């Protein structure tokens, strides 16, 4: 759920829409309603060619970019967020978790929740290597992802892009699967802000070029784009994004949306690798994680309540 911001605009280089299927969402429907009420999501009204829709499904876009959904929840949580911390090791130290990172000293925590792509969980070093049992390791190793590239093209304000659609699914090109006039899709066209175009490659192209140089991949994508939309003007800047872990193609089987690796102290993992790669799958995992973590938070509260006041 990533929105890239450039000097002349912004573009969703990852998830493009949020799709709600009320029958499948069930009690999770309130999450969508809350986001719509607060203006974080709005119904998709712009024309999308080639989209296959299920009966009863509703598609939403995020006018301020898809990352605004994540920012909304972080703001609601009141969490103190540290960005760009690359975790490398997780080990037990005196009944707590010691978490090491590439830059900066290690820190200790009472509870650790991991929601990165599953292969990155298996790359972590420290005691976690031996804490994950053989059965869990096999389950985690079974998870697979598709890979793809995304291209963001940014234009000067006032640039016209003469196509009749806001987005289009491409079915007959070996490289490109999806093109979006991003500001048109999000219904935020403005004379002050330049338009942006998003291109997603096919999964096959993504896997074939996974370890290629991004500059080389960018040129290949642009050459295919030129053939599909020959009228496209020259952008003022371009961002090439490689999604090594794009969408889950096989999740952990028979899983309640999370997996407890260690109970006391709690080490737990979740995310779309434990459900499915859409917003509903993310909510399902998040709710399951919250239910598993809650008793541990209550335990800390009851322990604190028993302490003498001068120790609190």
């Amino acid at each position: 759920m990533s929105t890239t911001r450039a000097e002349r605009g912004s573009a969703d280089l990852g998830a493009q829409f949020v799709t709600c299927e009320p029958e499948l969402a069930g009690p999770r429907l309130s999450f969508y309603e809350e986001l719509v009420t607060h203006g974080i999501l709005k119904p998709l009204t712009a024309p999308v060619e080639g989209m296959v829709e299920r009966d009863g499904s509703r598609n939403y876009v995020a006018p301020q970019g898809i990352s605004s959904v994540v920012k909304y929840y972080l703001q609601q949580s009141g969490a103190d967020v540290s960005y760009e911390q690359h975790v490398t090791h997780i080990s037990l130290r005196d009944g707590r978790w010691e978490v090491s990172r590439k830059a900066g000293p290690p820190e200790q925590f009472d509870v650790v929740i991991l929601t990165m792509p599953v292969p990155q969980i298996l790359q972590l070093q420290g005691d976690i290597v031996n804490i994950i049992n053989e059965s869990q390791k096999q389950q985690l190793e079974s998870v697979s992802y598709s890979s793809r590239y995304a291209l963001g093209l940014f234009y000067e304000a006032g640039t016209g892009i003469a196509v009749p659609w806001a987005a289009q699914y491409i079915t007959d090109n070996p490289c490109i699967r999806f093109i979006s006039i991003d500001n048109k899709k999000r219904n935020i066209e403005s004379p002050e802000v330049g338009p942006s175009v998003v291109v997603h490659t096919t999964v096959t192209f993504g896997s074939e070029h996974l370890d290629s140089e991004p500059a080389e991949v960018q040129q290949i994508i642009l050459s295919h784009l030129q053939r599909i939309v020959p009228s496209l003007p020259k952008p003022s800047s371009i961002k090439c994004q490689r999604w090594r872990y794009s969408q889950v193609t096989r999740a952990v089987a028979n899983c309640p949306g999370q997996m407890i690796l260690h109970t006391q102290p709690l080490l737990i993992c979740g995310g779309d690798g434990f459900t499915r790669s859409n917003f509903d799958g993310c909510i399902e995992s998040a709710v399951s994680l919250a239910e598993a973590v809650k008793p541990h938070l209550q335990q800390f509260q009851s322990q604190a309540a028993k302490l003498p006041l001068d120790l609190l």
Side-chain angles (χ1 to χ4, degrees):
M1 301 190 84
S2 168
T3 302
T4 294
R5 307 201 180 272
E7 191 181 326
R8 294 171 178 82
S10 63
D12 290 332
L13 292 189
Q16 296 295 304
F17 322 104
V18 167
T19 301
C20 174
E21 297 181 45
E23 285 183 17
L24 293 178
R28 296 184 296 278
L29 199 56
S30 61
F31 286 87
Y32 298 89
E33 291 166 349
E34 180 184 346
L35 292 170
V36 171
T37 300
H38 287 87
I40 309 297
L41 294 180
K42 290 191 173 176
L44 169 68
T45 55
V48 179
E49 290 188 2
M51 179 186 266
V52 178
E53 296 189 63
R54 291 187 187 177
D55 287 344
S57 67
R58 307 171 196 163
N59 292 304
Y60 298 97
V61 289
Q64 300 308 309
I66 202 75
S67 66
S68 65
V69 176
V70 182
K71 289 174 182 174
Y72 171 78
Y73 286 123
L74 289 176
Q75 192 176 11
Q76 292 293 305
S77 74
D80 181 14
V81 185
S82 297
Y83 294 99
E84 297 181 10
Q85 302 294 321
H86 186 142
V87 172
T88 57
H89 294 67
I90 298 177
S91 293
L92 278 167
R93 292 284 182 273
D94 303 321
R96 301 179 83 201
W97 293 112
E98 184 173 86
V99 179
S100 303
R101 49 197 167 156
K102 262 191 174 177
E107 290 188 53
Q108 290 200 350
F109 300 92
D110 297 300
V111 174
V112 171
I113 306 168
L114 304 172
T115 62
M116 68 272 266
V118 172
Q120 292 179 339
I121 295 173
L122 292 168
Q123 288 165 15
L124 291 169
Q125 299 298 302
D127 292 345
I128 188 173
V129 174
N130 298 316
I131 285 167
I132 298 173
N133 65 45
E134 198 55 41
S135 169
Q136 289 173 330
K137 189 181 177 188
Q138 285 177 4
Q139 285 179 285
L140 295 173
E141 285 175 340
S142 73
V143 178
S144 59
Y145 292 78
S146 62
S147 304
R148 69 175 78 234
Y149 282 85
L151 217 58
L153 285 68
F154 301 93
Y155 296 86
E156 300 280 356
T159 304
I161 298 176
V163 293
W165 36 264
Q168 184 182 46
Y169 286 91
I170 310 295
T171 56
D172 56 356
N173 186 278
C175 171
I176 294 175
R177 176 68 179 112
F178 178 82
I179 307 171
S180 166
I181 317 301
D182 199 63
N183 52 311
K184 196 172 176 182
K185 178 204 74 183
R186 290 195 263 149
N187 201 23
I188 53 162
E189 291 177 284
S190 160
E192 289 85 40
V193 180
S196 56
V197 172
V198 171
V199 181
H200 279 186
T201 69
T202 64
V203 168
T204 304
F205 179 89
S207 58
E208 286 174 353
H209 294 82
L210 191 56
D211 296 309
S212 302
E213 284 296 320
E216 177 192 326
V217 174
Q218 179 173 306
Q219 284 309 311
I220 298 170
I221 299 170
L222 287 172
S223 66
H224 282 273
L225 182 62
Q226 181 64 32
R227 289 198 283 275
I228 296 168
V229 192
S231 63
L232 207 60
K234 189 178 179 184
S236 56
S237 64
I238 300 174
K239 166 76 183 287
C240 183
Q241 172 77 49
R242 173 170 50 203
W243 294 114
R244 184 176 292 275
Y245 306 111
S246 175
Q247 287 177 300
V248 176
T249 52
R250 185 170 60 246
V252 174
N254 306 316
C255 174
Q258 44 81 1
M259 181 185 286
I260 295 172
L261 303 179
H262 193 276
T263 309
Q264 291 289 353
L266 183 64
L267 175 61
I268 187 170
C269 48
D272 59 356
F274 298 82
T275 50
R276 57 201 170 280
S277 260
N278 58 18
F279 184 62
D280 201 59
C282 293
I283 298 173
E284 185 179 322
S285 177
V287 170
S288 184
L289 283 165
E291 288 302 316
V293 170
K294 212 182 292 182
H296 293 262
L297 301 183
Q298 290 163 346
Q299 175 191 325
F300 299 139
Q301 287 168 343
S302 64
Q303 286 171 349
K306 292 172 187 172
L307 289 171
L309 284 174
D310 59 343
L311 293 177
L312 285 173

